Amino acid sequence: MDKLFFGADAKKRIGVERWVFAEYGELGDNLHFHFKAKSPIEPVFFCAIANLLWSNLDNLTASAKYNEITPTIDAVKSARYVTKGTKHFYFDEIGFKASHRNNTNIDVENYQNIQQAKRIQNRFSFPKIIEAMDSVIQQAANAERNMKIRQTKAVASGAQ
């Protein structure tokens, strides 16, 4: 991800700022990851590219249609969700190693240039990017709808 967005500067430890959290599921048999990232480009486009990168990482990862990498709708609820599995262990070594903070304050707009666009275009076809963007938009709409349903149920049950 870092090389795609920041080119050769990724070797200088400049990258997408991200916080990764491993989760093992309720029964402890479903290792999967949640992450929060500071988008270096327009958020929906970033999520589409992140979805494509993740889905092409391994044949065991889900396709971009089924990943749920979407822009944050509610920061507090999102933070609770991505960290919910961390209460079961003391140190998340996998998440820690996959997380990244830049050592300096960089202006990501300096990297939004023709070289970045070419790196993305060389990695993914235009139809794949459009398909991934459509998936992100649909997943975000579903997430927002589900959040409203849960909120309505909580109010109706007196939990909120």
Side-chain angles (χ1 to χ4, degrees), residues 2-157:
D2 297 333
K3 192 172 180 182
L4 188 66
F5 288 108
F6 297 98
D9 283 355
K11 290 181 181 176
K12 299 175 188 172
R13 302 240 344 108
I14 293 176
V16 174
E17 291 196 302
R18 60 191 173 271
W19 298 265
V20 181
F21 306 92
E23 184 181 335
Y24 293 90
E26 288 183 43
L27 301 176
D29 62 351
N30 180 23
L31 174 62
H32 60 281
F33 300 93
H34 298 275
F35 79 100
K36 298 299 297 176
K38 193 173 178 181
S39 176
I41 58 174
E42 192 280 323
V44 172
F45 187 62
F46 171 74
C47 291
I49 298 303
N51 265 313
L52 287 169
L53 285 167
W54 180 251
S55 64
N56 287 288
L57 185 66
D58 189 274
N59 65 353
L60 296 175
T61 55
S63 71
K65 182 177 179 180
Y66 298 106
N67 290 322
E68 292 185 21
I69 301 174
T70 61
T72 298
I73 298 167
D74 181 307
V76 172
K77 289 178 183 175
S78 178
R80 283 185 192 135
Y81 184 79
V82 299
T83 60
K84 71 181 187 292
T86 60
K87 65 183 176 218
H88 300 294
F89 46 87
Y90 296 105
F91 180 68
D92 179 1
E93 187 173 353
I94 297 170
F96 181 75
K97 286 183 177 182
S99 296
H100 175 79
R101 287 284 316 251
N102 290 319
N103 292 331
T104 59
N105 287 327
I106 62 162
D107 185 358
V108 295
E109 288 186 15
N110 290 338
Y111 293 91
Q112 295 175 10
N113 55 35
I114 195 71
Q115 289 85 6
Q116 183 186 69
K118 283 182 179 179
R119 286 191 300 271
I120 293 169
Q121 185 180 22
N122 289 339
R123 183 78 183 259
F124 303 110
S125 70
F126 187 70
K128 281 285 186 198
I129 293 170
I130 296 300
E131 181 182 332
M133 288 185 68
D134 289 344
S135 292
V136 168
I137 292 165
Q138 185 61 50
Q139 291 162 355
N142 290 343
E144 196 160 1
R145 185 189 74 244
N146 291 340
M147 192 167 51
K148 287 177 183 174
I149 290 169
R150 284 191 298 275
Q151 182 68 28
T152 301
K153 286 180 180 178
V155 169
S157 70

